[in-house]
Amino acid sequence: MVKREHLSLEMECLTLFQSNPYLFETIQGLEKRLGRKMSDLEPILESLTAQGILQRTGEGAMAYFRYKEPAVIAEFSFTSELEPL
Amino acid sequence: MIQSFDLIEELQEMYASQYGLTNFITDESGDIIMLAKGHNALFNLLLERGAVNEIIETVTKEFELSKTFFIDILPGVYACIAPVEGHPGYLLWSGVKMEPSSRDMIKNKIDHLIDDGDIDSILSQTPLFTLENKKEWLLSAKKAAKMISRLIGGGDSLFSEHLKVLQEAVKTEEGDVSRFLYSFLEKNSGIDFLGICEQRNDDLYEVSHAAGEEAKRIQGASFSPGESFLGRVLLTGEQAFWEEIEKDPKYTFFQHYHFYPKSLFCFPIQLRDGNLSLFFGGSRTSEVITDTVKDLDRNMAMLLEVVLSAESLRKENSGHLSRQSALADISMMLVSAPDLKKISYILVDISMSLVKGPFSAVMLKDSQKQKMMLVSRGDIKGEKGSYLKRAAKDYFTATSDLPPDRLVPSMKKLEGSSAIIECPLYFRGELLGLICTGTNSPVDQETEELLPFLQTLSLIAGVTLQLAGEGQENMMERKIEVLHSSIKEFDAEAYRIAEESVKIAREFTAELDISKPLIKNILIACKLHCFSHEYLAEMFPEAEFPKIVKDGTRVLAEDAAFKNEEQGIGSQIFALAVSYAKNEGDMEAVIARPYMKRIRQEFLSHLEDSKVVEQELPLEPESSHTMESKSVESTIKNHKNLSSREKEVLDLVIQGLNNKEIARELFISEHTVKNHLTKIFQKLDVPDRTQAISKVYQLTYNGSANP
Amino acid sequence: MKVSTGIRGLDKVLDGGIPQGSAIVLEGAPGTGKTTLGMQFLYKGIVDHNEPGIFFTFEEFPDQIYEDMESYGWDLKDLERKNRLRVIGISPDIFLDQMTSKDGLFEQLVREIDCRRIVIDSISLFEYLPDKTGENGRSLLYTLRNIVRKFGLTSLFIQELSSLDRRKIPFEHFIADGVIRLSLKEHMNIFRKRTLEVTKMRGTKINEGEHIYQITDKGIYLLLASQIVTDKYISDQNEKIKTGIPELDNLLGGGMAKGAVYMLDTNSKANYRHIVGAIYAERVKAGNRILSLLSSTQTVTELKALMDLYGIDIDQLAREKRLYFIEHYNRPFPAGWEGSVFHVQGMENKDYDRFLWEKCKGLVKECKENHKDWFAYYDLSTIFNERGAEYVLRSFAKETAFARSFGMTVLVLCNFKEVGEQAASFLERTSNGVFKTWVDGSYQYLQVTKSPDGQISKPYLLESIGQKPYIRLV
Ligand SMILES: Nc1ncnc2c1ncn2[C@@H]1O[C@H](COP(=O)(O)OP(=O)(O)OP(=O)(O)O)[C@@H](O)[C@H]1O
Ligand SMILES: [Mg+2]
């Protein structure tokens, strides 16, 4: 379930998008920016998208990724309904 | 740089309206960074027409300002310029006043500036510059500049310094503890040596790291528990501060190594394997330890603890190399973003992507609000939602401290569903947050392997959260302090009431069974009682105390529409304290409302009691240091079985002397000392020196001096 | 409608700012400060004018930009949190793709923060897009311009410029509404000089020429070059009088302001003789009445020789009572000058004051009624020596005010270094204008560091020439 060898690169991608919430990039663009092979990046972006951390827009070569903010409940209590804001 | 525009503006307004002056702030390049406030028509006119620009430029560029002074903007028209301490180049300008005798000349000068000219009315509104009020102006400008200086950045430097140290700590691969000691030393002027003691194989302790001039001489020095200052902390397990230590008999330990500190502190640090290490330090020049330095020491100890634990964790997990660099990256990100929301985003994303399960949630406690924030990814509705609520309740409402095994990440097996990882975020035993991450399978080895990684993560996240919280709190406290002291400047009576009500509220709440945060909020409310609650709510949108002021003020105002159940105990106490202070301590006049009979009664009887206490205990209590040594002394003195020589020896043991030193002190041989000790151990029924010391402490504090 | 650029000097160069909704090319070599200027435009737009903005960066990561811009004290993340700014990291190809698609990312972003200004850093990359070279690349830029216009955005397109000597005018300059160029030049092998030039700006008057700018820790600061951007309020009521040195007149927007007090700050090495000579001669020619205070070093003979150079016979003028002298040293004067020399040697300060007040004021007033203008010249070090520093500090402001009220233009010679920092700053503040001249290496420089209408100049080289006025500013 966790591909260990990918962990480091996965964290790198995560860090990148976390610190640049307004980064809109294609796989090719990320290849250039991170200096990592596209073939290595693909599964990672795939998985981050699947987990809802990234959001993919568009199709094919023009598909780009961006960071998706998690759901926040600012005032959570033990009894409140868990409907995110 | 400037962190509280709103407050500075407020101050400017107050200063302006108090004296009828307009004021603004310029920076080192002469730019106006806080716009002009105030209704001084003449100054506003001059400013508007650009007549002051040149002067600003000249003053900024050419004058090296360290004093407050007056400048004539036109002949006979004066502004006052006060440097903002601690911020080179920042100036507070206020003005203008005019010399009565120059009126006609001024009129001529400014004639052309005015189109629809009512010069006379402008001039008649302008305050006069006289010999008598000159000094007062100077002083008030200085004070205003001082308050502003506190509001302009820099105030939380301690916090940011610590953050830097932590960032360094996280960055190092191979943790070199000495480097941290030196970087602490560099940044903190009140301390000139630092060190760490670690346990050796033979149960003795050794100074394993020492940083600072001369302090190196004690590197490698060893001592037994109970011996000298440092050994003592091993026994008590409590942090200790010692001042003027040269007079203390325990001092010989240092003298022996030709090291002469004047004050000393020492903190026990619990390692992950359960062993204690010591962190110590102090000054070779200062005999006293100020409160600021004490806070600093505490913070250093706390950071060091994290550094040491992270290092030992790293060693334990050295197998997972691929994760190490990832961990370093993540840690870097955490410590560079001390903002609760950002931290929680990082945590939720990382746990999610590590585990790759269906959901992850981070719950953080907000120390100021007693509420929680929940940040999540994935589906947390239904079943999982109720689990999260249960888990949160479980962890956060635990009445006693959580047992250590609850403070590490664990797997939770839920019936009929896959396992969930629970990873508490804590700092120094206090729970700050909780990560719950769902997995896709029942407990398996692969998931279990993630736990140590998560543990390191949670450790760093814990201290980061703590720092983030402190940062926020610092900022708020500074704002509160500034507002409070501004009352002093502008309304002496309101200030007196604030001071008095805080005092009485503090004493009274200490007797009540109410939560610490609530007490804090009541005290702040008292401090700022004279501000409108709307203003406070705007200024401190996150805080609770504005509501106390709001409700409390309604109580005081006898708002008929105000119902019983609407106000909390906080606002009632606030109302009691403020009305007591307003009426200058007249108990009869303390506010009475039908719905607060009971609390009023308690309040009055507290007042009665404290009067009595004052009469009974006119003396200052002795310092805890002397009280403590006295009672230990008396424990020994009153011990029936010991001979007087044995008592003397035991006394010196307790004071931290080793055998050689005791021999020297009593003019006997070391051999004799050992003999005495053997007998003492027998009589006290203990196997060794360490136990002997702790026995004496037990006897002292458990009160049963006679076995 | 003009949009402020966020740089005070640049707004002046543009006569108020950039016309709203225009698309401007900002070009410059690496490191000239394009990104800084672009961000300053957005940052100040948000903070000072409540105009939200978007910064598109193709090469840098947004977090690098947050960090770089922190050095100017700009907290960009905070503005992002408040939804006033976006720093968007994006590849040029998706950018273009999204920009042209209906309801694409570009449109969404603009709407989301009600964006008024954008910066694109940089359009140079467009040229390298596959199948976007040549003609296609151009039509692309054209499309880009039209789209930002459609949204009414005031935009800066940053353009890398590798070499300054392009032979053709680049295509970008034709379609853009304006062009701002930043350059970095070696200046006399001594220091590097950053200059900004606006070569085109539709819909506004521009102040041409290369203006010096600096990158400070507050962003870009532009010093206006020697052009005539006069502050209305002052220029309206001030007549300009010529200095006799054409370049200096240019620097001053036509000449010295009548009735103003100018300080010529000179160090001992600098040769100020011709500066003073030219001005003095010019004033004589203009028919001014002239009052001068002779210094210990400047004798009448010396002045006579100097004026001869400029074709002026002071002997005759003195006899015609067009020149007046104040003499502290009891030196002999040519016959026929009696009425125009005031001997003040040995006079107490108090008496000297009275003399100035009564005698000189009387003279000046009388001439004023006959519509004759006055010019005064003196060497302040003589007063420092003869009357003491305290006297100078006490009386200078008063004399300045006096001169101003009678429209008497004054040139004062002074060595700021010599009189000490405090006195110098007082004098500088009290004077309406300051010229500084100094020697550095084998060159002499002159700079206007202060003037009544707020203009200051860069340092100019002072070159000797063979004919009147014997000096020239280069
Ligand atoms: N606080 C500061 N004070 C002075 N100069 C600074 C300051 N901060 C940055 N600089 C200078 O500004 C220059 C960079 O500016 P900027 O990045 O805006 O230029 P640029 O034209 O966008 O460069 P590039 O072509 O690399 O994109 C650097 O040369 C740097 O040394
Ligand atoms: Mg750039």
Side-chain angles (χ1 to χ4, degrees):
Chain A
M1 118 184 156
V2 185
K3 293 197 190 86
R4 306 270 181 234
E5 62 279 17
H6 282 328
L7 189 60
S8 181
L9 185 53
E10 182 162 351
M11 289 301 141
E12 198 177 329
C13 283
L14 195 54
T15 316
L16 176 76
F17 280 103
Q18 283 256 10
S19 21
N20 293 290
Y22 296 107
L23 182 66
F24 300 80
E25 241 346 332
T26 55
I27 296 197
Q28 287 98 322
L30 287 169
E31 182 182 31
K32 266 186 239 146
R33 286 188 190 258
L34 290 171
R36 301 285 186 182
K37 282 205 207 83
M38 229 159 94
S39 54
D40 288 345
L41 285 170
E42 242 161 11
I44 285 169
L45 294 175
E46 217 40 68
S47 136
L48 288 174
T49 309
Q51 291 157 43
I53 295 175
L54 298 185
Q55 178 187 331
R56 186 219 311 265
T57 315
E59 285 304 321
M62 280 295 159
Y64 63 89
F65 296 86
R66 69 168 295 185
Y67 182 69
K68 199 173 149 194
E69 296 207 340
V72 176
I73 299 174
E75 296 193 356
F76 166 71
S77 72
F78 310 129
T79 50
S80 62
E81 282 303 303
L82 290 186
E83 293 295 334
L85 295 180
Chain B
M1 249 281 260
I2 298 190
Q3 305 186 357
S4 14
F5 276 107
D6 43 1
L7 257 184
I8 296 182
E9 282 186 340
E10 179 71 14
L11 255 173
Q12 283 184 276
E13 298 269 13
M14 278 199 259
Y15 178 50
S17 64
Q18 185 81 6
Y19 297 99
L21 301 172
T22 288
N23 64 79
F24 58 91
I25 302 171
T26 57
D27 66 6
E28 69 280 5
S29 34
D31 285 340
I32 296 185
I33 50 169
M34 293 303 298
L35 292 182
K37 297 272 171 199
H39 302 290
N40 185 292
L42 180 52
F43 202 18
N44 290 351
L45 176 75
L46 293 171
L47 281 168
E48 204 176 287
R49 299 301 155 96
V52 191
N53 297 349
E54 260 179 54
I55 293 178
I56 294 180
E57 202 176 308
T58 320
V59 168
T60 312
K61 283 204 188 127
E62 307 292 340
F63 290 31
E64 287 266 329
L65 288 177
S66 55
K67 285 210 177 86
T68 303
F69 70 104
F70 298 111
I71 191 159
D72 44 340
I73 287 186
L74 297 171
V77 176
Y78 290 88
C80 180
I81 305 177
V84 179
E85 224 172 279
H87 304 277
Y90 280 37
L91 301 174
L92 170 70
W93 298 67
S94 59
V96 292
K97 296 190 182 184
M98 68 174 189
E99 259 168 13
S101 58
S102 317
R103 193 189 162 107
D104 290 338
M105 197 168 75
I106 298 167
K107 194 167 162 179
N108 272 331
K109 283 262 171 206
I110 60 170
D111 197 18
H112 66 277
L113 292 179
I114 298 184
D115 313 323
D116 48 357
D118 192 4
I119 305 182
D120 284 317
S121 101
I122 289 185
L123 290 185
S124 63
Q125 289 168 32
T126 305
L128 297 180
F129 185 73
T130 60
L131 268 180
E132 295 77 50
N133 67 25
K134 210 166 146 175
K135 192 152 185 186
E136 190 199 338
W137 189 7
L138 218 53
L139 283 179
S140 63
K142 254 190 206 166
K143 276 185 195 156
K146 196 163 189 172
M147 284 194 256
I148 284 164
S149 113
R150 283 196 256 153
L151 282 176
I152 303 181
D156 58 354
S157 60
L158 200 67
F159 159 68
S160 51
E161 284 305 336
H162 287 152
L163 200 61
K164 269 185 225 143
V165 173
L166 184 64
Q167 287 171 351
E168 267 172 43
V170 162
K171 260 192 283 182
T172 37
E173 291 287 328
E174 201 48 46
D176 175 3
V177 177
S178 295
R179 253 198 45 218
F180 295 123
L181 298 184
Y182 276 107
S183 76
F184 281 140
L185 273 187
E186 238 169 67
K187 282 167 187 143
N188 301 314
S189 54
I191 296 156
D192 49 31
F193 66 92
L194 290 171
I196 293 174
C197 310
E198 285 169 340
Q199 192 167 22
R200 287 198 316 213
N201 295 334
D202 57 2
D203 280 358
L204 285 186
Y205 273 74
E206 178 179 279
V207 177
S208 56
H209 299 83
E213 217 181 308
E214 283 185 21
K216 287 202 201 72
R217 293 176 189 158
I218 54 169
Q219 175 132 11
S222 61
F223 55 92
S224 52
E227 183 183 342
S228 186
F229 298 99
L230 302 176
R232 188 118 171 219
V233 172
L234 288 170
L235 291 182
T236 58
E238 303 270 332
Q239 61 190 51
F241 298 91
W242 293 279
E243 303 183 322
E244 297 181 55
I245 55 176
E246 284 160 305
K247 293 172 201 141
D248 198 301
K250 292 192 281 289
Y251 197 62
T252 50
F253 175 79
F254 292 121
Q255 279 171 328
H256 185 75
Y257 294 96
H258 305 287
F259 177 52
Y260 306 97
K262 293 212 163 120
S263 56
L264 182 73
F265 69 83
C266 182
F267 290 82
I269 290 182
Q270 184 94 40
L271 296 183
R272 281 175 31 78
D273 56 13
N275 282 335
L276 274 188
S277 283
L278 296 179
F279 169 57
F280 68 91
S283 169
R284 291 186 299 121
T285 50
S286 167
E287 295 188 334
V288 293
I289 309 175
T290 62
D291 286 347
T292 338
V293 172
K294 279 186 188 168
D295 284 343
L296 194 83
D297 298 342
R298 275 186 204 104
N299 276 321
M300 282 194 291
M302 148 188 132
L303 288 177
L304 193 79
E305 185 170 329
V306 172
V307 169
L308 292 177
S309 324
E311 190 179 315
S312 76
L313 264 176
R314 231 180 282 183
K315 276 185 194 148
E316 283 170 36
N317 297 323
S318 60
H320 306 280
L321 265 178
S322 72
R323 272 182 237 158
Q324 284 220 11
S325 66
L327 187 62
D329 281 350
I330 298 163
S331 308
M332 244 348 257
M333 239 197 336
L334 279 173
V335 298
S336 62
D339 149 345
L340 291 183
K341 200 161 160 188
K342 183 88 191 284
I343 294 172
S344 57
Y345 282 19
I346 294 173
L347 293 175
V348 78
D349 287 351
I350 284 168
S351 53
M352 185 82 182
S353 88
L354 264 182
V355 180
K356 305 220 173 349
F359 75 92
S360 183
V362 173
M363 289 166 260
L364 295 184
K365 198 166 86 173
D366 185 327
S367 59
Q368 279 165 42
K369 287 199 296 188
Q370 294 182 286
K371 275 172 197 144
M372 279 192 290
M373 175 166 78
L374 180 134
V375 173
S376 66
R377 285 211 185 270
D379 179 12
I380 55 162
K381 291 202 195 86
E383 191 75 12
K384 288 161 198 151
S386 17
Y387 152 73
L388 283 178
K389 277 182 256 180
R390 252 180 294 128
K393 196 167 173 190
D394 218 27
Y395 273 89
F396 288 104
T397 58
T399 42
S400 56
D401 283 350
L402 290 168
D405 63 328
R406 299 252 358 233
L407 292 179
V408 297
S410 61
M411 303 285 291
K412 190 120 188 180
K413 286 151 246 173
L414 283 193
E415 230 170 277
S417 99
S418 3
I420 292 173
I421 298 177
E422 289 177 358
C423 176
L425 306 170
Y426 62 93
F427 184 74
R428 305 213 122 200
E430 192 194 342
L431 188 71
L432 302 171
L434 178 67
I435 310 178
C436 297
T437 306
T439 69
N440 283 323
S441 53
V443 183
D444 65 3
Q445 206 195 334
E446 230 179 327
T447 320
E448 295 244 4
E449 275 178 15
L450 291 171
L451 296 185
F453 185 93
L454 283 170
Q455 191 180 355
T456 317
L457 188 69
S458 71
L459 192 76
I460 291 164
V463 69
T464 317
L465 284 171
Q466 172 75 15
L467 283 175
E470 272 177 24
Q472 274 181 1
E473 211 156 308
N474 275 352
M475 189 59 219
M476 184 168 109
E477 262 160 31
R478 209 161 67 236
K479 279 189 180 184
I480 292 168
E481 276 319 307
V482 170
L483 276 185
H484 180 60
S485 53
S486 73
I487 308 175
K488 189 174 180 179
E489 297 307 323
F490 301 114
D491 187 343
E493 173 62 8
Y495 184 72
R496 186 196 62 76
I497 294 172
E499 292 285 85
E500 207 123 299
S501 60
V502 169
K503 180 167 172 284
I504 194 71
R506 177 177 288 127
E507 292 165 4
F508 179 49
T509 50
E511 289 180 359
L512 300 177
D513 182 26
I514 54 179
S515 75
K516 278 203 183 110
L518 179 58
I519 295 184
K520 200 170 153 192
N521 277 305
I522 295 173
L523 297 184
I524 298 172
C526 291
K527 256 186 179 167
L528 304 181
H529 73 98
C530 59
F531 290 95
S532 83
H533 66 86
E534 290 97 346
Y535 172 68
L536 292 176
E538 192 184 314
M539 207 57 105
F540 304 92
E542 304 276 285
E544 310 260 290
F545 63 84
K547 174 135 174 46
I548 296 184
V549 174
K550 180 181 175 193
D551 294 347
T553 315
R554 289 179 73 182
V555 171
L556 286 169
E558 267 183 283
D559 190 333
F562 207 50
K563 301 260 170 49
N564 247 352
E565 59 272 24
E566 275 184 66
Q567 14 68 29
I569 184 87
S571 49
Q572 295 181 6
I573 297 173
F574 167 82
L576 288 168
V578 170
S579 81
Y580 175 75
K582 269 190 183 154
N583 295 299
E584 305 192 14
D586 179 359
M587 285 170 57
E588 298 298 303
V590 164
I591 184 170
R593 297 280 176 273
Y595 48 79
M596 44 195 273
K597 256 191 200 129
R598 232 192 67 215
I599 187 82
R600 180 174 191 268
Q601 198 44 54
E602 278 180 57
F603 184 69
L604 292 181
S605 63
H606 162 79
L607 292 176
E608 289 289 351
D609 289 351
S610 59
K611 263 189 201 158
V612 176
V613 172
E614 261 166 46
Q615 284 157 8
E616 279 177 358
L617 270 183
L619 291 174
E620 284 283 295
E622 288 174 279
S623 84
S624 61
H625 177 72
T626 50
M627 262 169 38
E628 179 201 289
S629 54
K630 249 191 195 153
S631 49
V632 171
E633 252 169 48
S634 63
T635 309
I636 298 173
K637 215 183 256 169
N638 297 335
H639 203 284
K640 284 180 182 145
N641 295 341
L642 296 175
S643 75
S644 61
R645 197 54 159 185
E646 284 161 2
K647 284 177 185 168
E648 272 177 313
V649 171
L650 183 56
D651 194 27
L652 293 175
V653 168
I654 298 282
Q655 285 183 35
L657 274 60
N658 65 22
N659 290 1
K660 209 190 226 162
E661 289 160 351
I662 296 174
R664 213 179 312 139
E665 189 77 13
L666 298 178
F667 302 101
I668 54 180
S669 73
E670 245 185 284
H671 184 70
T672 319
V673 174
K674 275 188 189 155
N675 279 343
H676 282 307
L677 279 175
T678 317
K679 280 198 202 118
I680 294 171
F681 295 162
Q682 280 170 3
K683 289 183 183 172
L684 292 179
D685 192 21
V686 294
D688 58 22
R689 189 187 196 100
T690 312
Q691 301 280 331
I693 299 173
S694 64
K695 180 92 178 214
V696 172
Y697 277 98
Q698 265 173 30
L699 293 176
T700 306
Y701 295 119
N702 296 344
S704 51
N706 292 314
Chain C
M1 261 284 278
K2 296 278 182 70
V3 171
S4 161
T5 60
I7 297 164
R8 233 186 289 165
L10 185 54
D11 284 348
K12 278 194 186 167
V13 170
L14 295 173
D15 195 28
I18 299 175
Q20 195 196 329
S22 21
I24 311 298
V25 167
L26 169 62
E27 61 175 27
T32 44
K34 301 180 296 298
T35 302
T36 307
L37 195 151
M39 194 53 92
Q40 189 164 352
F41 169 69
L42 295 186
Y43 182 86
K44 297 282 178 183
I46 294 165
V47 173
D48 297 341
H49 306 283
N50 196 18
E51 297 203 344
I54 305 180
F55 193 98
F56 291 96
T57 169
F58 298 151
E59 286 143 282
E60 301 260 26
F61 284 119
D63 62 341
Q64 184 64 47
I65 293 190
Y66 301 139
E67 199 178 303
D68 289 349
M69 297 300 131
E70 230 174 73
S71 92
Y72 305 116
W74 303 334
D75 188 349
L76 303 184
K77 285 193 206 168
D78 184 53
L79 294 182
E80 283 201 334
R81 273 194 293 274
K82 292 175 178 152
N83 287 327
R84 318 283 294 282
L85 173 76
R86 291 280 182 267
V87 182
I88 309 280
I90 193 166
S91 291
D93 46 353
I94 343 174
F95 174 76
L96 290 170
D97 183 53
Q98 289 298 316
M99 180 130 146
T100 46
S101 42
K102 172 115 187 56
D103 212 27
L105 184 61
F106 185 79
E107 215 172 314
Q108 284 172 30
L109 287 166
V110 167
R111 260 191 274 115
E112 199 174 293
I113 63 165
D114 189 20
C115 177
R116 312 303 305 276
R117 303 179 175 200
I118 68 164
V119 174
I120 298 175
D121 193 358
S122 67
I123 58 168
S124 310
L125 282 190
F126 289 165
E127 287 183 23
Y128 302 106
L129 290 178
D131 67 72
K132 300 267 162 54
T133 47
E135 278 307 309
N136 281 334
R138 293 178 182 188
S139 70
L140 215 145
L141 207 60
Y142 184 68
T143 317
L144 183 62
R145 188 203 70 183
N146 289 342
I147 291 175
V148 298
R149 271 198 196 160
K150 183 178 82 190
F151 286 105
L153 303 170
T154 313
S155 2
L156 290 186
F157 300 160
I158 291 177
Q159 167 97 308
E160 289 286 347
L161 208 58
S162 44
S163 73
L164 282 168
D165 53 2
R166 289 215 217 170
R167 270 154 298 147
K168 293 191 300 186
I169 297 179
F171 170 75
E172 293 82 2
H173 291 197
F174 290 111
I175 34 176
D177 298 311
V179 177
I180 299 174
R181 172 184 293 170
L182 304 180
S183 350
L184 194 60
K185 290 177 182 162
E186 293 286 323
H187 184 59
M188 294 178 297
N189 295 323
I190 309 176
F191 53 92
R192 294 206 298 173
K193 191 173 77 162
R194 297 178 186 273
T195 61
L196 177 149
E197 189 177 11
V198 179
T199 59
K200 166 179 179 178
M201 191 66 62
R202 286 182 183 140
T204 179
K205 193 166 74 186
I206 47 182
N207 184 347
E208 282 177 28
E210 296 190 357
H211 307 275
I212 297 186
Y213 69 92
Q214 285 162 359
I215 303 182
T216 70
D217 54 8
K218 292 255 188 55
I220 289 189
Y221 183 84
L222 190 74
L223 288 96
L224 245 53
S226 53
Q227 298 298 320
I228 309 146
V229 235
T230 41
D231 191 313
K232 284 167 211 96
Y233 146 65
I234 292 178
S235 64
D236 283 352
Q237 49 166 265
N238 276 318
E239 233 174 273
K240 299 280 181 164
I241 64 170
K242 299 258 179 272
T243 62
I245 307 166
E247 300 86 12
L248 183 58
D249 285 342
N250 264 339
L251 288 185
L252 296 170
M256 299 192 284
K258 190 171 129 187
V261 175
Y262 289 85
M263 188 72 69
L264 175 60
D265 170 26
T266 153
N267 67 19
S268 47
K269 278 197 235 148
N271 184 352
Y272 53 84
R273 216 170 138 250
H274 287 129
I275 306 172
V276 172
I279 299 175
Y280 197 100
E282 182 65 26
R283 291 295 92 219
V284 173
K285 279 190 218 151
N288 284 175
R289 293 287 177 272
I290 298 181
L291 176 67
S292 44
L293 182 128
L294 293 167
S295 71
S296 56
T297 52
Q298 192 184 41
T299 60
V300 181
T301 336
E302 204 262 355
L303 182 66
K304 198 167 147 61
L306 180 63
M307 284 303 106
D308 275 348
L309 270 182
Y310 291 87
I312 284 166
D313 178 4
I314 58 168
D315 202 30
Q316 189 195 339
L317 294 168
R319 268 179 266 137
E320 287 171 9
K321 296 228 167 125
R322 286 174 54 190
L323 306 183
Y324 291 86
F325 299 92
I326 299 175
E327 166 68 3
H328 272 87
Y329 304 99
N330 206 15
R331 292 170 292 202
F333 281 82
W337 284 40
E338 292 77 21
S340 42
V341 180
F342 306 117
H343 290 277
V344 297
Q345 68 272 18
M347 225 182 237
E348 293 281 316
N349 284 350
K350 191 163 49 97
D351 298 327
Y352 178 71
D353 242 357
R354 188 168 331 116
F355 149 76
L356 278 185
W357 206 238
E358 289 170 3
K359 198 87 178 188
C360 298
K361 193 175 160 189
L363 254 181
V364 172
K365 217 168 158 183
E366 187 182 306
C367 290
K368 178 116 194 177
E369 277 151 20
N370 300 327
H371 301 287
K372 296 277 185 254
D373 285 332
W374 275 86
F375 175 74
Y377 160 70
Y378 63 101
D379 180 352
L380 201 60
S381 59
T382 304
I383 320 239
F384 266 102
N385 291 337
E386 300 301 320
R387 309 258 155 233
E390 206 179 310
Y391 175 83
V392 174
L393 295 183
R394 188 154 45 82
S395 65
F396 188 75
K398 196 168 74 183
E399 283 161 23
T400 311
F402 167 76
R404 213 175 307 168
S405 63
F406 284 97
M408 175 158 91
T409 312
V410 183
L411 179 66
V412 183
L413 194 64
C414 185
N415 184 339
F416 278 2
K417 280 245 171 59
E418 220 166 60
V419 302
E421 213 172 294
Q422 230 180 342
S425 78
F426 164 79
L427 292 172
E428 181 160 23
R429 174 156 73 80
T430 315
S431 314
N432 306 98
V434 176
F435 313 143
K436 248 185 173 64
T437 181
W438 71 97
V439 175
D440 187 358
S442 43
Y443 293 100
Q444 181 167 349
Y445 295 85
L446 183 124
Q447 184 180 16
V448 177
T449 59
K450 179 177 178 179
S451 71
D453 28 19
Q455 291 171 42
I456 50 178
S457 81
K458 61 177 188 178
Y460 281 84
L461 261 179
L462 204 58
E463 189 187 35
S464 298
I465 50 172
Q467 73 267 20
K468 284 184 264 181
Y470 305 104
I471 45 170
R472 182 168 77 182
L473 304 186
V474 200

